[in-house]
Amino acid sequence: MISTRRADFFGPSRPTVFARDAAIATSHPLATAAGLEILQAGGNAMDAALAAVATQCVVEPAMTGIGGDCFVLYAPKGKPTVAMNGSGRAPAAASVEALKAAGLTDEIPRTSAHAVTVPGAVSAWTKLHADYGSLPLDRLFARAVDYAENGYPIAQRVAFDWLDEAPLLAQDENASAFFLPGGKPLLAGQRHAQPLLGRRLRDIAGRGAAAFYEGETAESLVRYLKGLGGLHTLEDFAAMTDGAFYTTPISTDYRGLTIEECPPNGQGLAALMLLNILREFDLGEGLSLADRVHLHAEATKLVYHNRDALLGDPSAMTVAVETLLAPETARRLAAHIDMGRAQPPVYWDEPEHADTVYLCAVDRDGNMVSFINSIFHAFGSTRIDPATGVLLHSRGSSFRLIEGHPNAIAPGKRPMHTIIPGLLRREGEAVGVFGVMGGQYQAAGQAALISGLLDRGLDPQVAIDAPRSFAFNGELELEPTYPEAVLADLAGRGHRVKAAIEPIGGAQLIVRGGESDLLLAASDPRKDGCALGI
């Protein structure tokens, strides 16, 4: 029986996948299968990741798309990690003054054309393929194109998210036409096709990034956005053709491993700051579950307060990354934590949970890729160009309309991103790739996942399955798998406890370990996906 009950997605555990040669883990079974097919055909980890993410852009339209952004960490065997920043920039005419003149005062609505920065994913994909791919793009996109043109079956969690967003989709004529056939959301097991998206993928495979950022597609997207009041120009889009760029990862050490993240404008810095604070405490098995949740909550509030005040495009940040990652900073923040009492909540006005896909892959040669692609909110801005079939993201809604703020919108500026791939090294060698989905939760989720692995010695799948909590907007949200006694204990410490009505985030993980030096792969049961290996 097919179910879309919320409680079913907190689901029972599944075993960790053991693989000898290569592995891939994604949040959708068709994407995992597409990536595994490439690995079996001799493709490398980057090939598999690109095949998988292109497939997810078709089969998980609420979570991701070619009209979004991405960040990637890639560790070639025996070489340093490279970080790819595939986040787009605001139009050259965008500024706090311009948006306030257009009638915006406090925030940028997710459905506004101003929430759409120039999408960066396609620029990143094509650059990564040119530099690290081994199979042609048309081969890598074959499954995605087939599903787009000939249809794919709606998976259960996909249907669950689709149903949640139906009222918002119905408010946009184009979104309704593409995603609410007959005025209703599609259900699990039904079939959906996006032939225009298939055509875009064919074009990108044949002509590279220019097929998206120049010519007919770009002209159509600019015309469509201008019709919604946007400030975008053809020059803004053309500048993104080669706009994705490589940068150097940032890192911290935790319990004998080095955790690497992309630098700002992503919130990977927040994940590392959280781990630095947790490093000041003993989080072994002797710590009670209530203490563990409380400690994570208090550390999260401290770090997110700093994140929202200080993070943005690095060109606008006033506090150095090195300062925020310094041991003395962690010690000073950790000193504010009272294990017996929740501190007064720290409020911020960032959007709540948003939507993303994360995947990871390791190939026969030991190359590792950690890959995250996002349209931010579910179905992004809900704005879809009817001529091209491109659903546009809402990442620009993260910008502040506060002059002088590090994350204030400005010409050509990149907003603070929540999406963060992670990578693990031991004594210099890459030993794992991981990521957590769930918008604002991602930094907190990564810290909890790494703590489960390294502080508690949990099996990878068990670490992913573990109950989740998130201190956000003055509340402590907990999944219903926590015992009532833990909820009562936390409420007694002053937390405003809230029961989660949907799963908190999702995760994928591949690590190398064990006596046989196998790949251990895991995928979150809160999503439809799976991990597979060969």
Side-chain angles (χ1 to χ4, degrees):
M1 174 176 156
I2 294 175
S3 171
T4 55
R5 294 188 310 147
R6 291 181 186 272
D8 289 343
F9 297 108
F10 295 103
S13 181
R14 60 181 77 172
T16 292
V17 171
F18 296 93
R20 187 192 65 189
D21 297 328
I24 182 167
T26 86
S27 56
H28 197 287
L30 297 181
T32 299
L36 186 70
E37 181 180 60
I38 293 300
L39 291 171
Q40 290 171 321
N44 62 28
M46 187 61 71
D47 293 327
L50 290 169
V53 75
T55 299
Q56 286 181 287
C57 287
V58 177
V59 303
E60 289 192 83
M63 297 292 125
T64 197
I66 63 173
D69 289 341
C70 78
F71 287 84
V72 180
L73 291 172
Y74 182 58
K77 178 66 174 178
K79 296 180 180 179
T81 305
V82 294
M84 164 59 74
N85 187 317
S87 62
R89 298 179 182 272
S95 65
V96 172
E97 182 181 11
L99 268 60
K100 288 192 172 182
L104 301 181
T105 55
D106 298 324
E107 61 181 21
I108 301 173
R110 62 176 284 192
T111 59
S112 166
H114 302 303
V116 182
T117 55
V118 179
V122 171
S123 178
W125 292 7
T126 52
K127 185 166 290 189
L128 288 166
H129 177 259
D131 294 337
Y132 298 107
S134 65
L135 299 178
L137 270 180
D138 59 354
R139 174 69 180 89
L140 303 183
F141 289 176
R143 285 288 178 185
V145 169
D146 179 37
Y147 290 134
E149 295 180 345
N150 300 311
Y152 64 94
I154 303 293
Q156 292 186 64
R157 178 61 197 270
V158 171
F160 170 81
D161 294 323
W162 213 306
L163 180 64
D164 265 7
E165 298 302 318
L168 186 62
L169 292 170
Q171 296 177 27
D172 184 275
E173 179 183 5
N174 296 321
S176 184
F178 276 84
F179 299 116
L180 300 177
K184 297 179 180 179
L186 289 161
L187 303 177
Q190 290 186 309
R191 194 160 168 160
H192 182 241
Q194 299 185 71
L196 286 176
L197 180 55
R199 194 177 308 166
R200 301 287 81 72
L201 289 168
R202 286 186 184 276
D203 288 346
I204 294 165
R207 299 194 293 118
F212 186 86
Y213 298 105
E214 302 171 26
E216 292 182 4
T217 295
E219 290 168 4
S220 183
L221 289 171
V222 168
R223 186 164 53 246
Y224 172 68
L225 287 164
K226 281 185 176 294
L228 296 173
L231 302 173
H232 309 74
T233 66
L234 287 173
E235 290 75 19
D236 292 325
F237 268 74
M240 197 63 206
T241 305
D242 194 40
F245 62 95
Y246 294 109
T247 186
T248 302
I250 57 176
S251 66
T252 196
D253 292 332
Y254 191 81
R255 317 301 194 207
L257 268 69
T258 298
I259 292 84
E260 295 184 325
E261 301 277 352
C262 294
N265 53 313
Q267 66 165 336
L269 175 59
L272 299 181
M273 291 176 68
L274 259 168
L275 289 170
N276 283 350
I277 292 175
L278 296 180
R279 194 173 56 201
E280 298 296 310
F281 298 85
D282 181 357
L283 281 85
E285 282 296 342
L287 192 68
S288 74
L289 184 54
D291 280 346
R292 191 178 304 278
V293 173
H294 173 78
L295 179 55
H296 277 273
E298 295 303 287
T300 297
K301 288 190 293 184
L302 288 166
V303 169
Y304 277 46
H305 175 69
N306 284 276
R307 181 198 74 166
D308 295 329
L310 302 173
L311 265 64
D313 191 309
S315 64
M317 288 176 59
T318 57
V319 179
V321 169
E322 294 78 10
T323 299
L324 294 172
L325 289 181
E328 54 268 28
T329 300
R331 287 192 291 269
R332 187 169 65 249
L333 291 173
H336 288 281
I337 295 176
D338 180 346
M339 289 301 295
R341 191 71 186 166
Q343 299 299 313
V346 176
Y347 291 95
W348 54 87
D349 56 5
E350 296 292 336
E352 294 194 15
H353 296 309
D355 296 296
T356 297
V357 297
Y358 172 79
L359 63 97
C360 48
V362 180
D363 61 30
R364 287 180 179 85
D365 296 325
N367 303 308
M368 295 187 170
V369 62
S370 187
F371 199 119
I372 198 158
N373 211 91
S374 175
I375 52 175
F376 201 27
H377 294 92
F379 290 100
S381 63
T382 73
R383 302 299 191 176
I384 183 167
D385 175 20
T388 63
V390 175
L391 176 66
L392 295 160
H393 69 112
S394 55
R395 187 59 62 176
S397 64
S398 290
F399 277 128
R400 302 296 187 95
L401 296 179
I402 303 171
E403 291 285 6
H405 191 283
N407 197 31
I409 192 167
K413 192 174 181 180
R414 295 165 293 157
M416 194 275 286
H417 270 61
T418 55
I419 56 175
I420 47 173
L423 193 140
L424 299 172
R425 286 186 178 269
R426 179 183 289 115
E427 297 178 354
E429 181 182 357
V431 294
V433 275
F434 69 96
V436 174
M437 299 165 281
Q440 308 297 338
Y441 174 69
Q442 290 183 47
Q446 282 198 5
L449 178 62
I450 294 303
S451 179
L453 289 171
L454 302 184
D455 288 311
R456 305 174 66 191
L458 297 181
D459 169 271
Q461 189 64 57
V462 174
I464 283 178
D465 293 349
R468 291 191 179 138
S469 62
F470 185 32
F472 187 82
N473 276 348
E475 296 177 320
L476 178 55
E477 187 178 16
L478 295 104
E479 291 184 337
T481 42
Y482 280 99
E484 286 293 333
V486 171
L487 275 63
D489 182 312
L490 293 165
R493 302 188 201 203
H495 291 285
R496 291 174 55 197
V497 175
K498 173 186 176 182
I501 60 172
E502 61 183 54
I504 299 176
Q508 269 74 238
L509 167 69
I510 303 173
V511 294
R512 184 176 294 282
E515 294 182 4
S516 301
D517 198 33
L518 296 173
L519 294 170
L520 285 64
S523 182
D524 206 316
R526 297 169 180 82
K527 300 284 186 177
D528 295 303
C530 60
L532 293 172
I534 51 178

